[in-house]
Amino acid sequence: MDTPSRNHPLRLRRSLLSVPAASARALEKSSSLACDGVIFDLEDSVAPEKKAAARAALTQHFAGLERAPGQERIIRINAFSDPEGQRDLDAVLTCAPDAVLLPKVSEPQDIRAVADWLSEQGADESLRLWAMIETPAAILNLAEIAEVGRTSGGRLDCFVLGLNDLRLATGIADIPGRPFLVPLLMQTLVAARAAGLDVIDSVFNGFTDLEPFAAECEQGRQMGFDGKMLIHPAQIEVANRAYGVSAAALADAAAVAAAFALPENEGKGAINLNGRMVELLHLDEAKRLLAKADLIAKKESST
């Protein structure tokens, strides 16, 4: 089976800020922030007795929302098996966000059930599903869950790691550098890439000390993650920088693209670039990086 590169157009997902839907101040502020996406949370950050009010506040917020260029809107609902989750989805239809983030996904059916419901309600195909990977069962079923993203009508677009819940469920220690979690992080990334999905690294709980947060962002970037889920606006700039495009990487990508564009290299599958063998796969990578840099530049010029 051929492996897709991605199953959707290139999007900036360097920084995804989680905002409690019950907080009027946080909702109001979210549109003015430089994050690539906002995750409006109706699940963990909202107390049971405040969920109805949070849905109402979120619906009102979306009604008056001026969509910021390049900023995705994602609503994290409660579990679909919970009556609150079904009420959340009714609000989703009214709000029309870019995506719905499903909590504690453990098997493919968790995604198919919501995808089927959305189709039955006539939701536009552009409404995508994101899956929180935060249970031991999800780790065991990663390949099957990701495969939903390759099926017609599956809507699955992105994995988001939820390490707080995963640590709690497994007893894995919260240690700097995440040594015992790295295998699980890499399993999640490989499963996502095999199905053409984006994948977002987990939150970093300490938001007052940005140095260890920056180190974890750099670790996630080196692993291959597309971005990081955030819990505080102070983390946005650090995540954008870590998951952005460095000047050196941009120059190298431009050199690769320019070399393959030379007449003498037309039709070649591999070329010599300053003593380095460069193949067409490197050209594809360079083009994607150049396109990402262009998206970043357009976003920065519009804010």
Side-chain angles (χ1 to χ4, degrees), residues 146-211:
E147 192 69 16
V148 176
R150 297 172 64 110
T151 61
S152 176
R155 295 181 184 263
L156 185 61
D157 204 53
C158 188
F159 278 173
V160 182
L161 264 296
L163 293 185
N164 284 332
D165 282 276
L166 194 56
R167 277 190 289 253
L168 179 63
T170 60
I172 296 174
D174 186 3
I175 299 174
R178 308 185 288 188
F180 302 114
L181 287 165
V182 166
L184 307 186
L185 290 164
M186 295 308 301
Q187 286 180 57
T188 304
L189 184 134
V190 169
R193 294 295 189 244
L197 306 177
D198 279 356
V199 58
I200 307 300
D201 196 3
S202 182
V203 299
F204 183 86
N205 296 319
F207 57 84
T208 58
D209 189 355
L210 294 180
E211 186 174 343

Side-chain angles (χ1 to χ4, degrees), residues 204 206-216 232 234-238 241:
F204 183 86
F207 57 84
T208 58
D209 189 355
L210 294 180
E211 186 174 343
F213 171 69
E216 190 164 291
H232 195 277
Q235 298 175 322
I236 295 172
E237 182 181 355
V238 176
R241 183 169 60 250

Side-chain angles (χ1 to χ4, degrees), residues 93-164:
L93 294 178
T94 301
C95 294
D98 297 294
V100 179
L101 179 55
L102 307 181
K104 299 176 179 62
V105 169
S106 294
E107 59 183 14
Q109 184 56 27
D110 294 337
I111 297 168
R112 293 194 189 104
V114 176
D116 289 346
W117 186 91
L118 290 173
S119 296
E120 290 168 1
Q121 302 304 312
D124 194 275
E125 177 62 24
S126 63
L127 177 59
R128 310 304 292 169
L129 296 179
W130 293 18
M132 290 293 302
I133 304 300
E134 51 188 340
T135 69
I139 298 298
L140 291 177
N141 295 322
L142 278 169
E144 291 82 1
I145 294 169
E147 192 69 16
V148 176
R150 297 172 64 110
T151 61
S152 176
R155 295 181 184 263
L156 185 61
D157 204 53
C158 188
F159 278 173
V160 182
L161 264 296
L163 293 185
N164 284 332

